[in-house]
Each structure stands twice: as C-alpha cells, then as structure tokens.
Amino acid sequence: MTPPSAASARLDSTRLPLPDKPPPNRAAPARADRPFRGIVLILASTVFLGMSDVTAKYLSATLPSIEIAWIRFLVFALIMSPAMLPRSPLYSLRSQRPGLQMLRGAALLGSSLFFISGLRFLPIAEASATGFVSPLFVTALSIVFLGESVGVRRWIATAVGLIGVLIILRPGTGAFHPAAFFPIISALAWACTLVMTRMLSGREHALTTMTYSSITGACIMCALVPFVWVAPSWHDILFGIFIGIASTAGQWIVVLAFRYADASVLAPFSYTQLLWVSILGFVIFGELPDIWTVIGAVFIVGSGLYTAHRERIRRSQLLAMDGELSPNA
C-alpha cells in the first residue's frame, strides 16, 4: 500500500484501512549495446552451468534424477521467494500470460530432468555435446509457433548439426546407449523453452519468467519425488544445494548477458561450456571424450555458429528493408 502524503496524514486523525494497490507489472529494463560485457557474462554463465551439470552427474550415482531435479528446483524457488511475496519490492507474479509462463516452466523442468537422467549413463562431454542441438530444434519450432521463414541454408546447417548427433551416438553400433535419447529430448524441451521465451519477450520481465519457472518446477517435482524417494545424506543435500545455486546463477547471468549483446554475438561463446564439462569430466570422473564425440561436437558447434550468423543477417535485413526477408535467409 502506498503511504499517505504528509498533508493527508495531518487532515485525517484516524487511519482507515484502504485496499492495497496491486503492484504494477514490472517493465523490462532497457537494453545497452555493450557486447564485451555481454561476452564476459556469457562466459561466466558457462562456468556456473558446467559446474551444475558435473555435480548433477556426481549425485546421479546415489540419488534418482527426479530427486536431484527436485532439490535443484526447490533451491531455485527459495532463491526466487522474495519475488513471490505481494508486499515485496521484487514482487513479480503479475503476468499477462500466466498459462504460457507455467508451460515454459514445465518445459524448463523437462529439459533439466531428461538431461540429468542421461548423465547417469553417459559421459558428460557426450551428453553436453548432444544437448547443444537445441538451436536446430528452435529453427524448426520457430516456423510453427513464431511464423518465421527458414531458408535453404539454415536447413542445411540444421542437417549438418543432426549429422553431428549421429556421429556422437553411432546408432546401430555397440557404442550406442539407449540413454543417448535423454539429452536429445532435453534439447527439444530446452528449444520449446527458448521459443516460449521469445513469445514472452517484450511483454514479461525476466524476473517474472524466472519466478514462474521456479514455482512450476518445484510444484511438479514435489508431486513426483515421493514415488522415488531415497533418503539423502548431508553430503548429498549440500551438493544438491550447490546445483540449485549454480544453475540459478548461470541462468540469471545469461539473462543479464542478453541485455548487452544479441544472441548471434553471444552464441559462439556459449559453446565454451563444452570445454569446461570436458575438463571437469576428465578430472573428476576420468572421462576423456573419444574422437567421435569430438568430431560430432565440431559438426554441432559449426552448425550452431552458422545458424547464429544467419540470424544476424536476417535481423540486419529486417532493419534495412523493413519488409520481406530473403528466401535464402
């Protein structure tokens, strides 16, 4: 409730209860063109997200993936709790599209849950490289849900990325593990998350989106975790809390990075997460990526970089022509 002015306070000797004014919708902060700062932030985010993934793999040896995801989203919700309190200056639950926000939160949860499930059986470098095919799924989904046109060259880039996935997974050989589908499903869920983020862009504050994601994920996990419950040790709880803090920090830093630079500028640097998880995977688990994982990752990263390059060209065309995009964009 807005406090009365000094004049009105002197006129009214008795204070009458007044209805609280609903907090206004939080407006998204203005963007600033500072690409170097955005690059530094995206590099920092890959460190946090990489450490979160490696810790989740470590915990997967003792806890079910659902329980790990439950701890992660519970910590996420606790961190976002100030934005859930109606009288808090950070209150962010007022949304123009709450249904879409919750659907996005469910997709984010699915991405996390399937990825953690895959980590139990796969080397972390292999799972992470496969998971980076999400931009390829975004290309396809943006046609249906965003009405975007995708030209021949971007479809070719998508095909190259999928070839990279096949190189890593090697279906039909003894190296193939059925759990390899988990990172692919995770990437698809993450692509859905990104598409819905675009649909909310310009209408919803990032804090609102993160708050709804934390609530949705925590509620779904609280309903599922009793069916797979394993009593965690204090050691497990501490690592689970670290996962929640690191993943939340990584997500928030990504949001900050996009305030300072376009996705096409930041995309090349997001792939450094593959480097961190490969190094940590070798140090902690003794996992060294084989040559097929390295070759497949090169295909996937190259495809993603070219897709980001074409996205930058499309935006420049849109600004220059203010009309139809090139059919080959």
Side-chain angles (χ1 to χ4, degrees):
M1 182 172 65
T2 304
S5 65
S8 62
R10 287 193 298 269
L11 288 174
D12 298 325
S13 57
T14 58
R15 300 183 57 159
L16 298 177
L18 297 175
D20 288 340
K21 276 188 177 181
N25 289 336
R26 299 180 65 85
R31 288 201 52 193
D33 188 18
R34 297 180 182 176
F36 180 75
R37 181 175 295 186
I39 290 169
V40 171
L41 287 170
I42 207 70
L43 289 173
S45 75
T46 64
V47 176
F48 281 99
L49 295 173
M51 290 191 298
S52 172
D53 290 345
V54 171
T55 309
K57 179 174 177 60
Y58 180 78
L59 271 187
S60 66
T62 56
L63 293 180
S65 55
I66 289 178
E67 192 166 346
I68 297 172
W70 171 71
I71 298 174
R72 174 179 178 174
F73 275 86
L74 189 61
V75 173
F76 185 15
L78 290 174
I79 293 173
M80 301 305 300
S81 58
M84 305 176 196
L85 304 175
R87 293 182 179 274
S88 168
L90 297 175
Y91 182 73
S92 301
L93 284 182
R94 289 181 59 80
S95 170
Q96 297 178 18
R97 306 190 69 178
L100 185 60
Q101 288 281 15
M102 288 186 284
L103 192 60
R104 181 194 177 278
L108 177 63
L109 170 62
S111 176
S112 176
L113 185 56
F114 280 107
F115 187 77
I116 295 173
S117 298
L119 289 177
R120 187 181 186 93
F121 306 99
L122 303 172
I124 190 165
E126 179 180 324
S128 298
T130 307
F132 268 103
V133 298
S134 55
L136 313 183
F137 288 126
V138 170
T139 298
L141 292 173
S142 62
I143 299 173
V144 179
F145 295 102
L146 301 178
E148 294 183 0
S149 60
V150 177
V152 174
R153 283 178 283 189
R154 280 203 290 165
W155 278 123
I156 293 175
T158 300
V160 169
L162 295 178
I163 290 172
V165 173
L166 293 176
I167 292 173
I168 294 174
L169 302 186
R170 284 160 284 165
T173 70
F176 177 75
H177 195 292
F181 287 111
F182 286 137
I184 296 177
I185 299 173
S186 170
L188 177 58
W190 178 243
C192 293
T193 304
L194 293 177
V195 168
M196 284 184 274
T197 302
R198 288 189 188 181
M199 294 169 70
L200 293 165
S201 152
R203 298 185 178 184
E204 305 278 355
H205 194 279
L207 194 59
T208 301
T209 299
M210 291 190 69
T211 304
Y212 269 91
S213 295
S214 68
I215 294 174
T216 303
C219 289
I220 294 175
M221 285 293 93
C222 284
L224 295 179
V225 76
F227 297 100
V228 298
W229 179 258
V230 173
S233 65
W234 282 108
H235 175 270
D236 295 334
I237 293 173
L238 290 175
F239 276 110
I241 292 173
F242 175 79
I243 292 171
I245 293 173
S247 61
T248 303
Q251 289 181 50
W252 185 249
I253 294 172
V254 169
V255 171
L256 294 177
F258 277 87
R259 289 185 191 173
Y260 300 108
D262 291 332
S264 57
V265 174
L266 300 177
F269 300 93
S270 65
Y271 289 105
T272 57
Q273 186 174 336
L274 285 174
L275 175 63
W276 306 133
V277 298
S278 297
I279 293 172
L280 292 173
F282 175 71
V283 171
I284 298 174
F285 308 110
E287 297 175 350
L288 193 63
D290 60 21
I291 186 62
W292 297 110
T293 299
V294 174
I295 294 173
V298 169
F299 274 72
I300 293 171
V301 172
S303 170
L305 293 180
Y306 185 78
T307 300
H309 169 68
R310 295 307 306 172
E311 181 69 20
R312 183 171 66 249
I313 291 177
R314 287 178 69 251
R315 290 188 180 185
S316 64
Q317 288 177 341
L318 184 63
L319 291 174
M321 301 173 61
D322 194 27
E324 290 289 329
L325 298 175
S326 167
N328 290 322

